Amino acid sequence: MRMIALSSCLVALALVGCGPRTAADKVGGYFDNKADAMDALAEQQPTPLAKQIYHNRAKALREEGRDREKGLRASNVGSEVPRMSNVEANLGVAEGNAAQ
């Protein structure tokens, strides 16, 4: 009985975090993945200087990703697109008069 309750709690927690991903989320994830790959390459380098260069590049990728993600969130890219009637209403144009 405890296992069923525990597994259902874990499923519920997993579903809570499964919202739609925005463009900002995707961009942030892309740059994080690239930076992780660069860190993995850094560990394979034979000299400390080469490792430092790759780690610096990974750090730069993470910073660029944060900047791009912040910019996308500020511009609301990836948010829900409004219905056309709402857009026309905001412009002061009636739906029937849009063709004129």
Side-chain angles (χ1 to χ4, degrees), residues 82-96 98:
R83 296 184 322 211
M84 190 47 111
S85 61
N86 291 344
V87 172
E88 291 169 348
N90 288 338
L91 294 174
V93 178
E95 286 184 36

Side-chain angles (χ1 to χ4, degrees), residues 38-39 41-42 45 47-60:
M38 193 65 62
D39 278 333
L41 284 173
Q45 299 307 309
T47 65
L49 182 60
K51 286 182 182 189
Q52 186 61 42
I53 291 170
Y54 278 87
H55 282 303
N56 288 344
R57 180 65 183 139
K59 182 180 175 185

Side-chain angles (χ1 to χ4, degrees), residues 29-99:
Y30 172 79
F31 277 94
D32 283 340
N33 289 340
K34 294 294 275 185
D36 290 342
M38 193 65 62
D39 278 333
L41 284 173
E43 295 306 317
Q44 297 173 2
Q45 299 307 309
T47 65
L49 182 60
K51 286 182 182 189
Q52 186 61 42
I53 291 170
Y54 278 87
H55 282 303
N56 288 344
R57 180 65 183 139
K59 182 180 175 185
L61 283 169
R62 284 190 180 91
E63 289 174 5
E64 182 179 355
R66 281 192 297 270
D67 290 344
R68 288 184 182 218
E69 185 177 354
K70 183 180 175 183
L72 288 171
R73 290 197 192 285
S75 67
N76 290 324
V77 170
S79 61
E80 185 177 332
V81 178
R83 296 184 322 211
M84 190 47 111
S85 61
N86 291 344
V87 172
E88 291 169 348
N90 288 338
L91 294 174
V93 178
E95 286 184 36
N97 297 332

